[in-house]
Amino acid sequence: MDQTKRIRLLCVALVSVVLTLALIMVVAVCGGMAGEVNPEDDTRRSFLDLLQGKPVNPQIYPETFDWGDMTLPDGWQSGLEWPTLSPSGDESDGEKEWTTIPGDWETLPQDWETLPPDWEAEAEPDIPDKAVGMNGDLARPDGALGEGVAENLTIMNVFTEIKDRLYLKMQSFGDYTGTGFAEAEPYGPVYQGWSADILPSMVMADSGYGRQYWADIEPVIEIVAFPYYLAGVEDGDLQTSDVLAQGSTDVLRRFYYQRSAPFDPGLMTPGVRDFESGYRKYVYDHYTWIDDTSYAYLMQIVDLEGFDPADPDIINKVAAYIQGAATYDKNYNENLDREENIALAFLGGYKRGVCRHFAAAATLLYRTLGIPARYTVGFAVNAVPDECNRVAEKDAHAWVEVYVEGFGWRCVEVTGSVEQEIEKIPLTLTPVYMEKMYDGLPMIHNGAIEGFEEYLAQGYRCDAKVVHDELITGSVTTTLEFVTIQDPFGNDVTDAFDIYVKENEMVVFFEPIYFASGNLIKEYDGTPLTVATQPDIIQMVGGVLQENYYWEVVPIGSRTSVGISRGTYQIRVLCKEADGTVRNMTRYFKKIYREYGTLEITRAGLTLKAADKQKPYDGSPLTANDYEITGGGLAEGDYIAVCDVVGSQTTVGRKDNIIERVVILNQDGEDVTGNYAIELLKGVLRVTLR
């Protein structure tokens, strides 16, 4: 090769290098520009956050991949959450080629031309126990108790009968460790299959408080939680542990008493009383322990505040003190979580924290007073009836259970109000149900309401106007207006309550009326016999109906086949208004007495005759299988399915032609032969001389 050609090739190579470098710079610049996405574009913004190690919006990327032992590109961090991708295309050398771009991505990230061979699409979200509050640790765990990127993760859906603040218990804990609470040992004995956690509902039931409400709990992930105070579960799913919510994760209806329901320990049955007595000893042995350091510190608070364990209101006073001792703040100083005694540090120097800090401090203060208490976790939700109440991880909560002798574990809220977000107390009020007997005068409600008993016992006052339409006969709906609540000191505290008014009714009843029926009898004809067959068989024999009122019979009992039964019926009382409207007033009669007659079906007559026949002798048998109905008849739809005629004559002479068996069926194929009184007549078979 000559010198000129070498120089020419060298120049071409240099130009190629320059162009390549320029192209790389253009790609780099374009790649940088691709990162300048529209801030409103949640999908691409979350992906960039993902690459930079920032929290990811779980609504956009709810699924994750497990990198395992794979090698990550330089500068990438491990442990990040990755979006679910659906690769397509042909497999080659264990790698799947990407032929489409997921979602609205404009370009794939650099070096993402193929999917690593051991990636699996549609991975299920990994929900650690900590993320749903299933531990007694007080230090902040990633994603725990409503904090972190998973706080909008739906845990369950709840449907309720009434508006209520539900505390859905998952687990209670035992001894304090300084940085949390240890697992509690379950109490072994049960009562009628139920754990001691059900004691409050047993006591309320024995006290005669019969009102139970229902809550349908639909877990989205496999979690079991139940409301206070659990009274039962549909399909008999028993709660056998007094520390951990157990049972099926299917959608179940759970019945419970409201936390404000009244009770009287003196009305406990002997079995419940003995069970509570044994459990009480266990509780004092296991839930009053406190370490010396915490006890010494908290006794200073007891002395300063003048707390007296014998004070009947001591539970509420301790709760109020803890609520006011610090400020609720999700952005509290995280150095608190590194303290050796987190609860004391929370009350002492930090004065800011979240529900688990309040609950821990309250648990220890109760124990300092010798009152059994335990740290409890679960979810708290303000439930609204006729709606799907979504419970997310952000609703995870911690509170205290305090043991009340003769009752059981009482759920106590001790968390201070969130700054700029004061939670109102849910309160359901309803006018009391009222009724009276008709006297011709308008009925007026007495103004009494239900649902305020707990606060009334504490000295609160509720003023409300019961409103309803005029009522002389029938019923009207009652509701409440102008509800105001005052505390024991006369202060208006209405705004502290989230009041839900539930309608009720007033009813005016009439005096009893009396009816009597005679007996009915007929021959079987295949149709039902009821009191409607002869309406005048029933007469009103006592009581009075108002003007424009009249009654009609609704047949209940009937008889079709032969036999005797009661001719039961109901009475419907109607009222014809001046405008021609007809109202059903039956429910407004306290009693409608009915005397029943009998319905009797007798057999229908039926005569069947075998055929006659004659012939000259020919050496062969003479038979005649025919028959005819000569008396009575068949009910409509009935027919003779079998009629065996037997008779034969061969020699000169005569012989009876006999019907030996008859079967009669109705149009449904049922044998109704017994409904007929059948008479069978013989025929004659005669053979004469040739």
Side-chain angles (χ1 to χ4, degrees):
M1 181 180 298
D2 59 26
Q3 186 68 22
T4 302
K5 184 174 292 185
R6 288 194 187 94
I7 294 173
R8 185 179 297 125
L9 291 175
L10 180 59
C11 290
V12 171
L14 290 172
V15 170
S16 299
V17 171
V18 171
L19 291 175
T20 300
L21 291 174
L23 180 59
I24 291 174
M25 293 177 65
V26 170
V27 171
V29 171
C30 292
M33 293 176 63
E36 299 175 3
V37 296
N38 185 341
E40 298 301 321
D41 190 336
D42 288 339
T43 303
R44 282 177 285 170
R45 185 176 71 248
S46 289
F47 176 67
L48 293 176
D49 290 343
L50 182 83
L51 294 177
Q52 298 167 20
K54 297 178 181 178
V56 183
N57 185 341
Q59 298 293 335
I60 300 173
Y61 299 124
E63 314 289 352
T64 63
F65 286 106
D66 184 2
W67 282 88
D69 297 328
M70 294 178 57
T71 302
L72 303 181
D74 291 340
W76 285 26
Q77 303 175 24
S78 62
L80 299 178
E81 294 185 353
W82 294 94
T84 298
L85 303 174
S86 301
S88 61
D90 299 327
E91 296 187 7
S92 176
D93 297 329
E95 296 184 343
K96 299 178 181 179
E97 296 182 358
W98 289 74
T99 59
T100 60
I101 298 175
D104 59 354
W105 291 7
E106 297 177 357
T107 60
L108 287 174
Q110 189 175 354
D111 298 328
W112 278 40
E113 296 180 355
T114 59
L115 181 68
D118 59 347
W119 278 25
E120 297 179 358
E122 303 300 333
E124 291 295 328
D126 181 20
I127 309 300
D129 286 345
K130 285 185 178 181
V132 290
M134 282 292 292
N135 62 75
D137 295 339
L138 298 181
R140 182 199 301 267
D142 291 338
L145 299 176
E147 302 159 9
V149 298
E151 65 178 7
N152 289 317
L153 174 71
T154 299
I155 303 297
M156 66 188 77
N157 295 315
V158 176
F159 302 84
T160 59
E161 180 180 3
I162 61 170
K163 185 175 183 179
D164 200 357
R165 178 162 176 81
L166 292 182
Y167 287 78
L168 303 173
K169 174 181 176 175
M170 293 181 62
Q171 187 171 2
S172 297
F173 295 87
D175 291 345
Y176 178 60
T177 65
T179 58
F181 289 85
E183 298 279 335
E185 185 70 23
Y187 182 63
V190 295
Y191 183 77
Q192 297 181 351
W194 290 93
S195 77
D197 248 354
I198 315 299
L199 267 173
S201 64
M202 296 178 184
V203 176
M204 290 177 185
D206 288 347
S207 300
Y209 185 77
R211 186 64 171 101
Q212 295 180 10
Y213 298 94
W214 57 259
D216 290 342
I217 299 179
E218 176 186 72
V220 176
I221 61 178
E222 292 192 358
I223 280 182
V224 180
F226 58 76
Y228 291 88
Y229 293 101
L230 183 66
V233 181
E234 204 168 56
D235 298 329
D237 193 16
L238 298 180
Q239 172 64 30
T240 57
S241 170
D242 69 316
V243 298
L244 179 66
Q246 295 175 324
S248 173
T249 55
D250 295 335
V251 181
L252 291 176
R253 173 158 292 185
R254 287 167 168 84
F255 300 95
Y256 69 98
Y257 290 102
Q258 278 190 299
R259 290 177 291 114
S260 59
F263 67 94
D264 183 355
L267 297 177
M268 283 192 292
T269 59
V272 175
R273 184 181 299 110
D274 292 344
F275 183 59
E276 190 277 330
S277 178
Y279 185 59
R280 185 194 313 167
K281 182 179 184 306
Y282 176 86
V283 165
Y284 273 91
D285 288 343
H286 288 76
Y287 295 106
T288 55
W289 181 86
I290 182 173
D291 63 279
D292 293 341
T293 301
S294 299
Y295 179 81
Y297 180 89
L298 293 170
M299 275 304 299
Q300 299 178 57
I301 295 177
V302 170
D303 294 338
L304 184 63
E305 297 295 323
F307 288 141
D308 180 1
D311 185 343
D313 198 34
I314 188 61
I315 294 176
N316 294 329
K317 288 182 177 178
V318 170
Y321 170 79
I322 294 295
Q323 289 170 338
T327 300
Y328 184 94
D329 186 359
K330 286 185 178 181
N331 298 315
Y332 65 90
N333 187 342
E334 294 189 11
N335 287 328
L336 171 60
D337 295 332
R338 290 184 279 274
E339 296 286 348
E340 292 183 359
N341 193 318
I342 294 177
L344 299 192
F346 167 70
L347 285 177
Y350 288 86
K351 295 290 188 180
R352 285 181 177 271
V354 291
C355 58
R356 61 181 181 272
H357 302 121
F358 285 90
T363 300
L364 297 182
L365 186 50
Y366 284 121
R367 291 182 179 182
T368 300
L369 290 164
I371 300 172
R374 58 188 188 181
Y375 177 84
T376 303
V377 298
F379 297 89
V381 57
N382 292 322
V384 178
D386 303 322
E387 291 186 15
C388 175
N389 299 279
R390 175 177 170 269
V391 181
E393 190 186 348
K394 63 182 177 61
D395 299 311
H397 195 48
W399 58 90
V400 182
E401 288 184 335
V402 176
Y403 197 81
V404 177
E405 295 185 9
F407 176 74
W409 291 110
R410 172 182 164 185
C411 170
V412 181
E413 176 61 86
V414 295
T415 299
S417 299
V418 180
E419 289 183 332
Q420 299 178 347
E421 188 181 339
I422 299 176
E423 185 177 292
K424 293 188 176 183
I425 303 169
L427 181 65
T428 299
L429 300 176
T430 182
V432 298
Y433 168 84
M434 290 187 63
E435 63 179 54
K436 76 168 187 175
M437 300 304 295
Y438 174 77
D439 59 6
L441 301 176
M443 183 177 182
I444 300 175
H445 199 279
N446 63 10
I449 62 175
E450 293 178 330
F452 199 68
E453 294 81 3
E454 177 185 11
Y455 298 98
L456 190 64
Q458 298 175 22
Y460 285 75
R461 174 180 173 179
C462 179
D463 293 319
K465 179 181 180 181
V466 179
V467 294
H468 56 82
D469 294 335
E470 183 181 65
L471 175 63
I472 297 179
T473 62
S475 65
V476 295
T477 298
T478 58
T479 188
L480 299 175
E481 289 184 354
F482 311 114
V483 179
T484 59
I485 299 175
Q486 294 179 339
D487 66 13
F489 306 102
N491 302 310
D492 189 328
V493 292
T494 309
D495 291 340
F497 292 85
D498 185 8
I499 301 172
Y500 172 69
V501 175
K502 187 176 182 179
E503 295 179 343
N504 213 328
E505 68 173 353
M506 297 192 309
V507 183
V508 173
F509 287 104
F510 293 102
E511 296 292 339
I513 49 179
Y514 302 81
F515 293 83
S517 171
N519 301 324
L520 291 176
I521 185 171
K522 76 169 183 176
E523 186 179 88
Y524 170 78
D525 61 5
T527 62
L529 175 63
T530 72
V531 293
T533 306
Q534 186 179 337
D536 60 357
I537 198 72
I538 298 174
Q539 297 293 324
M540 182 174 170
V541 296
V544 177
L545 290 181
Q546 305 303 311
E547 186 178 359
N548 298 326
Y549 282 58
Y550 61 97
W551 57 272
E552 61 184 23
V553 177
V554 180
I556 302 297
S558 68
R559 185 156 199 98
T560 303
S561 59
V562 169
I564 300 177
S565 59
R566 287 204 311 166
T568 56
Y569 58 92
Q570 289 183 347
I571 297 295
R572 180 185 295 138
V573 181
L574 304 172
C575 172
K576 189 170 184 178
E577 306 283 6
D579 60 1
T581 303
V582 175
R583 295 172 58 200
N584 188 341
M585 303 296 289
T586 309
R587 64 168 292 219
Y588 304 117
F589 286 82
K590 271 280 189 179
K591 293 286 185 180
I592 298 180
Y593 293 96
R594 300 178 298 277
E595 180 182 315
Y596 301 127
T598 59
L599 304 174
E600 182 177 1
I601 303 291
T602 61
R603 286 185 173 87
L606 180 66
T607 303
L608 300 178
K609 181 182 180 303
D612 297 326
K613 199 170 185 179
Q614 176 178 314
K615 75 170 184 175
Y617 172 77
D618 60 6
S620 63
L622 174 63
T623 61
N625 297 327
D626 296 334
Y627 63 90
E628 62 179 331
I629 298 175
T630 60
L634 295 172
E636 184 177 355
D638 290 357
Y639 62 95
I640 298 175
V642 177
C643 186
D644 293 336
V645 181
V646 296
S648 177
Q649 180 69 27
T650 303
T651 61
V652 172
R654 68 181 297 280
K655 183 176 286 187
D656 291 339
N657 198 21
I658 300 172
I659 300 175
E660 193 172 73
R661 185 170 73 101
V662 176
V663 176
I664 303 174
L665 303 179
N666 63 16
Q667 58 189 359
D668 296 323
E670 298 170 336
D671 190 334
V672 294
T673 310
N675 292 315
Y676 291 90
I678 303 174
E679 180 183 8
L680 301 176
L681 301 180
K682 301 175 182 178
V684 177
L685 299 176
R686 189 185 302 274
V687 177
T688 61
L689 295 172
R690 297 190 61 167

